[in-house]
Amino acid sequence: MSVADEKDLQQLKNRLIELAKKAYSRNIYTYTPFMGLAEQQAYYAVEREVSYAGVRMEGGAHLCERKMIRFGEPGYEEEFPIVRMEILPKAPRFAENLTHRDFLGSVMNLGIERDVVGDIFVPDGAIRRGALLFCHENIADYIAENLDRVRHTKVTCRRSEGEIEMENTEPERISLTVASPRVDGVISKVYNLSRDDSRELFNNGRIFINGIQKGNASYQLKEEDAVTVRGFGKFIFYGQTGVSKKGKDRVEIGVFGKL
């Protein structure tokens, strides 16, 4: 599933409506593939129309942005078909400093579709400690058997069982002084952008608040709002903590590292 234009968006809406009807009429669960933030907007556009079927979204971990949508309330619980994979260097001492793009590129070079792969978490400089990948269970064994190299680094890939802590998943708390909790102003401060550059991000559809695309640069942030700025990162707005001597708002932000 992908959204390139209005036609794609409408087709995706129709597909979601079909999945909801199927889940309800057959009393089963139905699932979408992994959907990115832009694709998830199709769901929010038909949210009320499909709510009768029962809806839940899941990506594999609380920080995941790429998620599957599950329709259905058949009276029993069923796990999402999501598997967490661990990618580790065979020789950590000689491993390269790999990026998210490196891992994603190597996975896509296996010839699989993007919508069977969820988020890939690569904490800063973490190749020696490994990276985590979420994928559809139907493709997990194929990835484990065939992903043996990321750039020039030889790796092993295996299912990750049990609890595991992902480093850098907790945001760094910082304090800012802003004129108001307007989202464009806060984004400007967090990422050191001009207000014009910040507003341009809205015009280009790159701002998501709590997973929903926002075009309103004057939106007033509320406590616990999660803001994703595509191409820059993600932060949590914790709210006002006081007022400066010049009458500006002091706010606290939780900024996530590069994941």
mmCIF file of all heavy atoms in Angstrom, residues 40-86:
data_model
loop_
_atom_site.group_PDB
_atom_site.id
_atom_site.type_symbol
_atom_site.label_atom_id
_atom_site.label_comp_id
_atom_site.label_asym_id
_atom_site.label_seq_id
_atom_site.Cartn_x
_atom_site.Cartn_y
_atom_site.Cartn_z
ATOM 1 N N GLN A 40 -1.366 6.085 6.546
ATOM 2 C CA GLN A 40 -2.315 6.027 7.650
ATOM 3 C C GLN A 40 -3.370 7.130 7.578
ATOM 4 O O GLN A 40 -4.440 7.013 8.177
ATOM 5 C CB GLN A 40 -1.572 6.097 8.983
ATOM 6 C CG GLN A 40 -0.753 4.856 9.294
ATOM 7 C CD GLN A 40 0.183 5.052 10.467
ATOM 8 O OE1 GLN A 40 -0.077 5.851 11.387
ATOM 9 N NE2 GLN A 40 1.313 4.347 10.447
ATOM 10 N N GLN A 41 -3.073 8.181 6.816
ATOM 11 C CA GLN A 41 -4.059 9.261 6.683
ATOM 12 C C GLN A 41 -5.327 8.772 5.980
ATOM 13 O O GLN A 41 -6.416 9.322 6.179
ATOM 14 C CB GLN A 41 -3.461 10.457 5.934
ATOM 15 C CG GLN A 41 -2.173 10.997 6.550
ATOM 16 C CD GLN A 41 -2.228 11.068 8.062
ATOM 17 O OE1 GLN A 41 -3.060 11.774 8.639
ATOM 18 N NE2 GLN A 41 -1.332 10.348 8.733
ATOM 19 N N ALA A 42 -5.180 7.738 5.151
ATOM 20 C CA ALA A 42 -6.360 7.162 4.503
ATOM 21 C C ALA A 42 -7.287 6.568 5.557
ATOM 22 O O ALA A 42 -8.519 6.668 5.443
ATOM 23 C CB ALA A 42 -5.935 6.090 3.499
ATOM 24 N N TYR A 43 -6.694 5.949 6.584
ATOM 25 C CA TYR A 43 -7.526 5.400 7.655
ATOM 26 C C TYR A 43 -8.239 6.516 8.413
ATOM 27 O O TYR A 43 -9.444 6.423 8.677
ATOM 28 C CB TYR A 43 -6.691 4.574 8.632
ATOM 29 C CG TYR A 43 -7.397 4.362 9.948
ATOM 30 C CD1 TYR A 43 -8.524 3.535 10.017
ATOM 31 C CD2 TYR A 43 -7.000 5.034 11.097
ATOM 32 C CE1 TYR A 43 -9.212 3.370 11.200
ATOM 33 C CE2 TYR A 43 -7.684 4.869 12.283
ATOM 34 C CZ TYR A 43 -8.789 4.041 12.339
ATOM 35 O OH TYR A 43 -9.483 3.894 13.508
ATOM 36 N N TYR A 44 -7.518 7.578 8.769
ATOM 37 C CA TYR A 44 -8.144 8.659 9.531
ATOM 38 C C TYR A 44 -9.270 9.321 8.738
ATOM 39 O O TYR A 44 -10.218 9.847 9.317
ATOM 40 C CB TYR A 44 -7.093 9.682 9.957
ATOM 41 C CG TYR A 44 -6.149 9.133 11.012
ATOM 42 C CD1 TYR A 44 -4.795 8.951 10.744
ATOM 43 C CD2 TYR A 44 -6.622 8.776 12.264
ATOM 44 C CE1 TYR A 44 -3.949 8.427 11.697
ATOM 45 C CE2 TYR A 44 -5.770 8.249 13.229
ATOM 46 C CZ TYR A 44 -4.442 8.072 12.934
ATOM 47 O OH TYR A 44 -3.599 7.541 13.884
ATOM 48 N N ALA A 45 -9.171 9.261 7.395
ATOM 49 C CA ALA A 45 -10.223 9.843 6.557
ATOM 50 C C ALA A 45 -11.511 9.018 6.597
ATOM 51 O O ALA A 45 -12.599 9.551 6.350
ATOM 52 C CB ALA A 45 -9.734 9.971 5.116
ATOM 53 N N VAL A 46 -11.396 7.725 6.904
ATOM 54 C CA VAL A 46 -12.587 6.859 6.943
ATOM 55 C C VAL A 46 -12.794 6.265 8.339
ATOM 56 O O VAL A 46 -13.535 5.298 8.511
ATOM 57 C CB VAL A 46 -12.485 5.712 5.906
ATOM 58 C CG1 VAL A 46 -12.435 6.278 4.499
ATOM 59 C CG2 VAL A 46 -11.292 4.810 6.178
ATOM 60 N N GLU A 47 -12.140 6.860 9.344
ATOM 61 C CA GLU A 47 -12.149 6.296 10.697
ATOM 62 C C GLU A 47 -13.564 6.035 11.205
ATOM 63 O O GLU A 47 -13.872 4.956 11.726
ATOM 64 C CB GLU A 47 -11.400 7.231 11.644
ATOM 65 C CG GLU A 47 -11.277 6.703 13.055
ATOM 66 C CD GLU A 47 -10.421 7.596 13.933
ATOM 67 O OE1 GLU A 47 -10.091 8.727 13.497
ATOM 68 O OE2 GLU A 47 -10.101 7.171 15.060
ATOM 69 N N ARG A 48 -14.449 7.003 11.074
ATOM 70 C CA ARG A 48 -15.811 6.831 11.568
ATOM 71 C C ARG A 48 -16.565 5.774 10.775
ATOM 72 O O ARG A 48 -17.368 5.012 11.316
ATOM 73 C CB ARG A 48 -16.562 8.160 11.498
ATOM 74 C CG ARG A 48 -16.070 9.207 12.493
ATOM 75 C CD ARG A 48 -16.943 10.438 12.447
ATOM 76 N NE ARG A 48 -16.518 11.449 13.408
ATOM 77 C CZ ARG A 48 -17.109 12.614 13.581
ATOM 78 N NH1 ARG A 48 -18.186 12.929 12.842
ATOM 79 N NH2 ARG A 48 -16.658 13.486 14.464
ATOM 80 N N GLU A 49 -16.280 5.719 9.491
ATOM 81 C CA GLU A 49 -16.994 4.802 8.603
ATOM 82 C C GLU A 49 -16.677 3.337 8.898
ATOM 83 O O GLU A 49 -17.500 2.457 8.627
ATOM 84 C CB GLU A 49 -16.641 5.141 7.150
ATOM 85 C CG GLU A 49 -17.494 4.464 6.116
ATOM 86 C CD GLU A 49 -17.215 4.977 4.717
ATOM 87 O OE1 GLU A 49 -16.508 5.998 4.594
ATOM 88 O OE2 GLU A 49 -17.694 4.344 3.756
ATOM 89 N N VAL A 50 -15.477 3.074 9.447
ATOM 90 C CA VAL A 50 -15.074 1.681 9.684
ATOM 91 C C VAL A 50 -15.044 1.316 11.164
ATOM 92 O O VAL A 50 -14.721 0.182 11.520
ATOM 93 C CB VAL A 50 -13.684 1.397 9.064
ATOM 94 C CG1 VAL A 50 -13.710 1.616 7.567
ATOM 95 C CG2 VAL A 50 -12.595 2.249 9.726
ATOM 96 N N SER A 51 -15.397 2.262 12.029
ATOM 97 C CA SER A 51 -15.267 2.024 13.474
ATOM 98 C C SER A 51 -16.159 0.888 13.968
ATOM 99 O O SER A 51 -15.854 0.249 14.981
ATOM 100 C CB SER A 51 -15.578 3.304 14.251
ATOM 101 O OG SER A 51 -16.914 3.719 14.019
ATOM 102 N N TYR A 52 -17.264 0.626 13.257
ATOM 103 C CA TYR A 52 -18.191 -0.428 13.667
ATOM 104 C C TYR A 52 -17.519 -1.798 13.722
ATOM 105 O O TYR A 52 -17.957 -2.699 14.449
ATOM 106 C CB TYR A 52 -19.376 -0.488 12.700
ATOM 107 C CG TYR A 52 -19.011 -1.007 11.329
ATOM 108 C CD1 TYR A 52 -19.089 -2.368 11.033
ATOM 109 C CD2 TYR A 52 -18.572 -0.141 10.336
ATOM 110 C CE1 TYR A 52 -18.751 -2.846 9.783
ATOM 111 C CE2 TYR A 52 -18.226 -0.609 9.093
ATOM 112 C CZ TYR A 52 -18.307 -1.961 8.811
ATOM 113 O OH TYR A 52 -17.959 -2.432 7.577
ATOM 114 N N ALA A 53 -16.439 -1.978 12.936
ATOM 115 C CA ALA A 53 -15.808 -3.293 12.825
ATOM 116 C C ALA A 53 -14.844 -3.580 13.970
ATOM 117 O O ALA A 53 -14.436 -4.727 14.161
ATOM 118 C CB ALA A 53 -15.068 -3.401 11.494
ATOM 119 N N GLY A 54 -14.473 -2.540 14.727
ATOM 120 C CA GLY A 54 -13.436 -2.709 15.742
ATOM 121 C C GLY A 54 -12.078 -2.516 15.097
ATOM 122 O O GLY A 54 -11.762 -3.183 14.101
ATOM 123 N N VAL A 55 -11.287 -1.593 15.622
ATOM 124 C CA VAL A 55 -10.022 -1.235 14.981
ATOM 125 C C VAL A 55 -8.902 -1.159 16.018
ATOM 126 O O VAL A 55 -9.100 -0.649 17.130
ATOM 127 C CB VAL A 55 -10.117 0.133 14.263
ATOM 128 C CG1 VAL A 55 -8.816 0.428 13.519
ATOM 129 C CG2 VAL A 55 -11.296 0.170 13.315
ATOM 130 N N ARG A 56 -7.752 -1.661 15.642
ATOM 131 C CA ARG A 56 -6.555 -1.517 16.465
ATOM 132 C C ARG A 56 -5.358 -1.360 15.553
ATOM 133 O O ARG A 56 -5.299 -1.986 14.486
ATOM 134 C CB ARG A 56 -6.368 -2.734 17.371
ATOM 135 C CG ARG A 56 -5.153 -2.629 18.293
ATOM 136 C CD ARG A 56 -5.047 -3.836 19.207
ATOM 137 N NE ARG A 56 -3.727 -3.944 19.794
ATOM 138 C CZ ARG A 56 -3.285 -5.000 20.465
ATOM 139 N NH1 ARG A 56 -4.090 -6.046 20.640
ATOM 140 N NH2 ARG A 56 -2.067 -5.035 20.965
ATOM 141 N N MET A 57 -4.393 -0.523 15.957
ATOM 142 C CA MET A 57 -3.174 -0.306 15.182
ATOM 143 C C MET A 57 -1.979 -0.769 16.002
ATOM 144 O O MET A 57 -1.911 -0.536 17.204
ATOM 145 C CB MET A 57 -3.027 1.171 14.811
ATOM 146 C CG MET A 57 -4.171 1.713 13.988
ATOM 147 S SD MET A 57 -4.031 3.495 13.629
ATOM 148 C CE MET A 57 -2.676 3.511 12.449
ATOM 149 N N GLU A 58 -1.004 -1.395 15.334
ATOM 150 C CA GLU A 58 0.162 -1.917 16.040
ATOM 151 C C GLU A 58 1.353 -1.959 15.093
ATOM 152 O O GLU A 58 1.208 -2.290 13.912
ATOM 153 C CB GLU A 58 -0.129 -3.319 16.573
ATOM 154 C CG GLU A 58 1.003 -3.976 17.317
ATOM 155 C CD GLU A 58 1.405 -3.195 18.550
ATOM 156 O OE1 GLU A 58 0.560 -3.028 19.457
ATOM 157 O OE2 GLU A 58 2.564 -2.737 18.590
ATOM 158 N N GLY A 59 2.525 -1.607 15.625
ATOM 159 C CA GLY A 59 3.738 -1.663 14.809
ATOM 160 C C GLY A 59 4.792 -2.602 15.343
ATOM 161 O O GLY A 59 5.802 -2.847 14.693
ATOM 162 N N GLY A 60 4.576 -3.107 16.563
ATOM 163 C CA GLY A 60 5.540 -4.030 17.161
ATOM 164 C C GLY A 60 6.183 -3.499 18.422
ATOM 165 O O GLY A 60 6.655 -4.252 19.264
ATOM 166 N N ALA A 61 6.227 -2.167 18.567
ATOM 167 C CA ALA A 61 6.779 -1.520 19.757
ATOM 168 C C ALA A 61 6.171 -0.132 19.857
ATOM 169 O O ALA A 61 5.656 0.411 18.873
ATOM 170 C CB ALA A 61 8.306 -1.432 19.694
ATOM 171 N N HIS A 62 6.236 0.456 21.040
ATOM 172 C CA HIS A 62 5.509 1.712 21.255
ATOM 173 C C HIS A 62 6.045 2.862 20.422
ATOM 174 O O HIS A 62 5.333 3.831 20.173
ATOM 175 C CB HIS A 62 5.514 2.082 22.743
ATOM 176 C CG HIS A 62 6.824 2.590 23.254
ATOM 177 N ND1 HIS A 62 7.900 1.756 23.521
ATOM 178 C CD2 HIS A 62 7.242 3.842 23.556
ATOM 179 C CE1 HIS A 62 8.912 2.475 23.964
ATOM 180 N NE2 HIS A 62 8.545 3.730 23.993
ATOM 181 N N LEU A 63 7.298 2.792 19.953
ATOM 182 C CA LEU A 63 7.864 3.883 19.162
ATOM 183 C C LEU A 63 7.625 3.720 17.659
ATOM 184 O O LEU A 63 7.919 4.632 16.894
ATOM 185 C CB LEU A 63 9.370 3.978 19.404
ATOM 186 C CG LEU A 63 9.823 4.637 20.703
ATOM 187 C CD1 LEU A 63 11.332 4.677 20.765
ATOM 188 C CD2 LEU A 63 9.254 6.035 20.838
ATOM 189 N N CYS A 64 7.126 2.580 17.233
ATOM 190 C CA CYS A 64 6.994 2.325 15.801
ATOM 191 C C CYS A 64 5.990 3.283 15.159
ATOM 192 O O CYS A 64 4.897 3.488 15.681
ATOM 193 C CB CYS A 64 6.554 0.885 15.556
ATOM 194 S SG CYS A 64 7.823 -0.337 15.933
ATOM 195 N N GLU A 65 6.359 3.810 14.006
ATOM 196 C CA GLU A 65 5.462 4.671 13.244
ATOM 197 C C GLU A 65 4.794 3.912 12.108
ATOM 198 O O GLU A 65 3.650 4.193 11.759
ATOM 199 C CB GLU A 65 6.219 5.885 12.711
ATOM 200 C CG GLU A 65 6.660 6.840 13.810
ATOM 201 C CD GLU A 65 7.265 8.117 13.271
ATOM 202 O OE1 GLU A 65 7.633 8.161 12.072
ATOM 203 O OE2 GLU A 65 7.385 9.084 14.057
ATOM 204 N N ARG A 66 5.495 2.974 11.522
ATOM 205 C CA ARG A 66 4.880 2.121 10.496
ATOM 206 C C ARG A 66 4.051 1.068 11.226
ATOM 207 O O ARG A 66 4.573 0.322 12.063
ATOM 208 C CB ARG A 66 5.953 1.458 9.616
ATOM 209 C CG ARG A 66 6.702 2.449 8.745
ATOM 210 C CD ARG A 66 7.727 1.751 7.866
ATOM 211 N NE ARG A 66 7.121 0.762 6.985
ATOM 212 C CZ ARG A 66 6.489 1.023 5.848
ATOM 213 N NH1 ARG A 66 6.359 2.283 5.450
ATOM 214 N NH2 ARG A 66 5.987 0.063 5.097
ATOM 215 N N LYS A 67 2.768 1.011 10.902
ATOM 216 C CA LYS A 67 1.871 0.137 11.654
ATOM 217 C C LYS A 67 0.942 -0.636 10.733
ATOM 218 O O LYS A 67 0.640 -0.209 9.626
ATOM 219 C CB LYS A 67 1.034 0.965 12.640
ATOM 220 C CG LYS A 67 1.853 1.666 13.707
ATOM 221 C CD LYS A 67 0.958 2.485 14.635
ATOM 222 C CE LYS A 67 1.779 3.176 15.713
ATOM 223 N NZ LYS A 67 0.923 3.983 16.622
ATOM 224 N N MET A 68 0.504 -1.782 11.252
ATOM 225 C CA MET A 68 -0.603 -2.511 10.633
ATOM 226 C C MET A 68 -1.900 -2.063 11.300
ATOM 227 O O MET A 68 -1.911 -1.692 12.474
ATOM 228 C CB MET A 68 -0.450 -4.017 10.859
ATOM 229 C CG MET A 68 0.694 -4.678 10.138
ATOM 230 S SD MET A 68 0.660 -6.463 10.497
ATOM 231 C CE MET A 68 2.094 -6.993 9.548
ATOM 232 N N ILE A 69 -2.982 -2.130 10.552
ATOM 233 C CA ILE A 69 -4.309 -1.892 11.114
ATOM 234 C C ILE A 69 -5.056 -3.221 11.126
ATOM 235 O O ILE A 69 -5.063 -3.940 10.118
ATOM 236 C CB ILE A 69 -5.088 -0.857 10.289
ATOM 237 C CG1 ILE A 69 -4.344 0.485 10.295
ATOM 238 C CG2 ILE A 69 -6.495 -0.682 10.853
ATOM 239 C CD1 ILE A 69 -5.007 1.539 9.423
ATOM 240 N N ARG A 70 -5.636 -3.547 12.264
ATOM 241 C CA ARG A 70 -6.425 -4.768 12.387
ATOM 242 C C ARG A 70 -7.891 -4.414 12.580
ATOM 243 O O ARG A 70 -8.238 -3.602 13.436
ATOM 244 C CB ARG A 70 -5.935 -5.603 13.581
ATOM 245 C CG ARG A 70 -6.632 -6.957 13.697
ATOM 246 C CD ARG A 70 -6.145 -7.725 14.903
ATOM 247 N NE ARG A 70 -6.724 -7.200 16.141
ATOM 248 C CZ ARG A 70 -6.442 -7.693 17.353
ATOM 249 N NH1 ARG A 70 -5.585 -8.688 17.472
ATOM 250 N NH2 ARG A 70 -6.997 -7.167 18.422
ATOM 251 N N PHE A 71 -8.746 -5.028 11.775
ATOM 252 C CA PHE A 71 -10.186 -4.876 11.925
ATOM 253 C C PHE A 71 -10.763 -6.157 12.511
ATOM 254 O O PHE A 71 -10.287 -7.254 12.212
ATOM 255 C CB PHE A 71 -10.853 -4.597 10.573
ATOM 256 C CG PHE A 71 -10.423 -3.310 9.934
ATOM 257 C CD1 PHE A 71 -9.512 -3.314 8.889
ATOM 258 C CD2 PHE A 71 -10.922 -2.099 10.370
ATOM 259 C CE1 PHE A 71 -9.119 -2.133 8.287
ATOM 260 C CE2 PHE A 71 -10.531 -0.901 9.779
ATOM 261 C CZ PHE A 71 -9.622 -0.927 8.737
ATOM 262 N N GLY A 72 -11.803 -6.010 13.323
ATOM 263 C CA GLY A 72 -12.498 -7.182 13.820
ATOM 264 C C GLY A 72 -12.598 -7.246 15.327
ATOM 265 O O GLY A 72 -11.706 -6.796 16.048
ATOM 266 N N GLU A 73 -13.702 -7.841 15.792
ATOM 267 C CA GLU A 73 -13.923 -8.126 17.210
ATOM 268 C C GLU A 73 -14.617 -9.482 17.322
ATOM 269 O O GLU A 73 -15.774 -9.586 17.735
ATOM 270 C CB GLU A 73 -14.786 -7.040 17.853
ATOM 271 C CG GLU A 73 -14.107 -5.698 17.971
ATOM 272 C CD GLU A 73 -14.990 -4.635 18.597
ATOM 273 O OE1 GLU A 73 -16.219 -4.647 18.324
ATOM 274 O OE2 GLU A 73 -14.464 -3.813 19.353
ATOM 275 N N PRO A 74 -13.920 -10.554 16.939
ATOM 276 C CA PRO A 74 -14.568 -11.868 16.885
ATOM 277 C C PRO A 74 -14.741 -12.565 18.232
ATOM 278 O O PRO A 74 -15.232 -13.695 18.273
ATOM 279 C CB PRO A 74 -13.631 -12.670 15.963
ATOM 280 C CG PRO A 74 -12.288 -12.048 16.170
ATOM 281 C CD PRO A 74 -12.558 -10.577 16.371
ATOM 282 N N GLY A 75 -14.329 -11.936 19.311
ATOM 283 C CA GLY A 75 -14.534 -12.531 20.622
ATOM 284 C C GLY A 75 -13.366 -13.341 21.133
ATOM 285 O O GLY A 75 -13.461 -13.974 22.191
ATOM 286 N N TYR A 76 -12.268 -13.360 20.410
ATOM 287 C CA TYR A 76 -11.048 -14.019 20.876
ATOM 288 C C TYR A 76 -9.871 -13.110 20.519
ATOM 289 O O TYR A 76 -9.977 -12.234 19.662
ATOM 290 C CB TYR A 76 -10.867 -15.400 20.226
ATOM 291 C CG TYR A 76 -10.765 -15.359 18.721
ATOM 292 C CD1 TYR A 76 -9.540 -15.190 18.077
ATOM 293 C CD2 TYR A 76 -11.904 -15.481 17.922
ATOM 294 C CE1 TYR A 76 -9.451 -15.132 16.697
ATOM 295 C CE2 TYR A 76 -11.827 -15.440 16.542
ATOM 296 C CZ TYR A 76 -10.597 -15.270 15.937
ATOM 297 O OH TYR A 76 -10.513 -15.219 14.559
ATOM 298 N N GLU A 77 -8.755 -13.294 21.192
ATOM 299 C CA GLU A 77 -7.592 -12.444 20.934
ATOM 300 C C GLU A 77 -6.631 -13.169 20.001
ATOM 301 O O GLU A 77 -6.452 -14.383 20.084
ATOM 302 C CB GLU A 77 -6.884 -12.078 22.237
ATOM 303 C CG GLU A 77 -5.752 -11.078 22.072
ATOM 304 C CD GLU A 77 -6.163 -9.807 21.338
ATOM 305 O OE1 GLU A 77 -7.274 -9.292 21.602
ATOM 306 O OE2 GLU A 77 -5.389 -9.350 20.493
ATOM 307 N N GLU A 78 -6.035 -12.404 19.116
ATOM 308 C CA GLU A 78 -5.074 -12.944 18.151
ATOM 309 C C GLU A 78 -3.916 -11.962 18.031
ATOM 310 O O GLU A 78 -4.120 -10.757 17.908
ATOM 311 C CB GLU A 78 -5.765 -13.129 16.797
ATOM 312 C CG GLU A 78 -4.886 -13.684 15.705
ATOM 313 C CD GLU A 78 -5.676 -13.902 14.420
ATOM 314 O OE1 GLU A 78 -6.350 -14.947 14.314
ATOM 315 O OE2 GLU A 78 -5.634 -13.010 13.534
ATOM 316 N N GLU A 79 -2.708 -12.481 18.078
ATOM 317 C CA GLU A 79 -1.532 -11.629 17.960
ATOM 318 C C GLU A 79 -1.401 -11.067 16.551
ATOM 319 O O GLU A 79 -1.741 -11.737 15.567
ATOM 320 C CB GLU A 79 -0.262 -12.417 18.304
ATOM 321 C CG GLU A 79 -0.177 -12.882 19.740
ATOM 322 C CD GLU A 79 -0.042 -11.728 20.717
ATOM 323 O OE1 GLU A 79 0.581 -10.714 20.347
ATOM 324 O OE2 GLU A 79 -0.571 -11.843 21.834
ATOM 325 N N PHE A 80 -0.902 -9.840 16.458
ATOM 326 C CA PHE A 80 -0.585 -9.287 15.149
ATOM 327 C C PHE A 80 0.517 -10.136 14.510
ATOM 328 O O PHE A 80 1.409 -10.633 15.212
ATOM 329 C CB PHE A 80 -0.090 -7.845 15.289
ATOM 330 C CG PHE A 80 -1.182 -6.820 15.349
ATOM 331 C CD1 PHE A 80 -1.977 -6.696 16.483
ATOM 332 C CD2 PHE A 80 -1.414 -5.970 14.279
ATOM 333 C CE1 PHE A 80 -2.981 -5.745 16.543
ATOM 334 C CE2 PHE A 80 -2.413 -5.012 14.332
ATOM 335 C CZ PHE A 80 -3.203 -4.902 15.463
ATOM 336 N N PRO A 81 0.491 -10.305 13.185
ATOM 337 C CA PRO A 81 1.524 -11.104 12.505
ATOM 338 C C PRO A 81 2.821 -10.314 12.329
ATOM 339 O O PRO A 81 3.335 -10.163 11.219
ATOM 340 C CB PRO A 81 0.867 -11.441 11.167
ATOM 341 C CG PRO A 81 -0.020 -10.264 10.888
ATOM 342 C CD PRO A 81 -0.565 -9.855 12.242
ATOM 343 N N ILE A 82 3.339 -9.815 13.446
ATOM 344 C CA ILE A 82 4.542 -8.989 13.428
ATOM 345 C C ILE A 82 5.654 -9.710 14.183
ATOM 346 O O ILE A 82 5.450 -10.190 15.298
ATOM 347 C CB ILE A 82 4.288 -7.615 14.071
ATOM 348 C CG1 ILE A 82 3.224 -6.838 13.279
ATOM 349 C CG2 ILE A 82 5.591 -6.801 14.140
ATOM 350 C CD1 ILE A 82 2.814 -5.528 13.927
ATOM 351 N N VAL A 83 6.815 -9.789 13.562
ATOM 352 C CA VAL A 83 7.980 -10.429 14.168
ATOM 353 C C VAL A 83 9.089 -9.394 14.341
ATOM 354 O O VAL A 83 9.329 -8.575 13.448
ATOM 355 C CB VAL A 83 8.486 -11.598 13.290
ATOM 356 C CG1 VAL A 83 9.780 -12.178 13.850
ATOM 357 C CG2 VAL A 83 7.419 -12.679 13.197
ATOM 358 N N ARG A 84 9.743 -9.453 15.480
ATOM 359 C CA ARG A 84 10.895 -8.582 15.730
ATOM 360 C C ARG A 84 12.171 -9.352 15.418
ATOM 361 O O ARG A 84 12.390 -10.446 15.928
ATOM 362 C CB ARG A 84 10.895 -8.136 17.193
ATOM 363 C CG ARG A 84 11.989 -7.129 17.543
ATOM 364 C CD ARG A 84 11.925 -6.789 19.023
ATOM 365 N NE ARG A 84 12.214 -7.955 19.843
ATOM 366 C CZ ARG A 84 11.707 -8.148 21.060
ATOM 367 N NH1 ARG A 84 10.868 -7.301 21.578
ATOM 368 N NH2 ARG A 84 12.032 -9.228 21.759
ATOM 369 N N MET A 85 12.996 -8.772 14.556
ATOM 370 C CA MET A 85 14.247 -9.396 14.144
ATOM 371 C C MET A 85 15.431 -8.617 14.705
ATOM 372 O O MET A 85 15.390 -7.390 14.798
ATOM 373 C CB MET A 85 14.350 -9.439 12.613
ATOM 374 C CG MET A 85 13.149 -10.020 11.895
ATOM 375 S SD MET A 85 12.948 -11.774 12.154
ATOM 376 C CE MET A 85 14.333 -12.408 11.195
ATOM 377 N N GLU A 86 16.471 -9.333 15.038
ATOM 378 C CA GLU A 86 17.692 -8.712 15.544
ATOM 379 C C GLU A 86 18.790 -8.897 14.502
ATOM 380 O O GLU A 86 19.032 -10.019 14.034
ATOM 381 C CB GLU A 86 18.085 -9.375 16.861
ATOM 382 C CG GLU A 86 19.132 -8.622 17.649
ATOM 383 C CD GLU A 86 19.342 -9.233 19.025
ATOM 384 O OE1 GLU A 86 18.907 -10.388 19.241
ATOM 385 O OE2 GLU A 86 19.939 -8.565 19.880
#
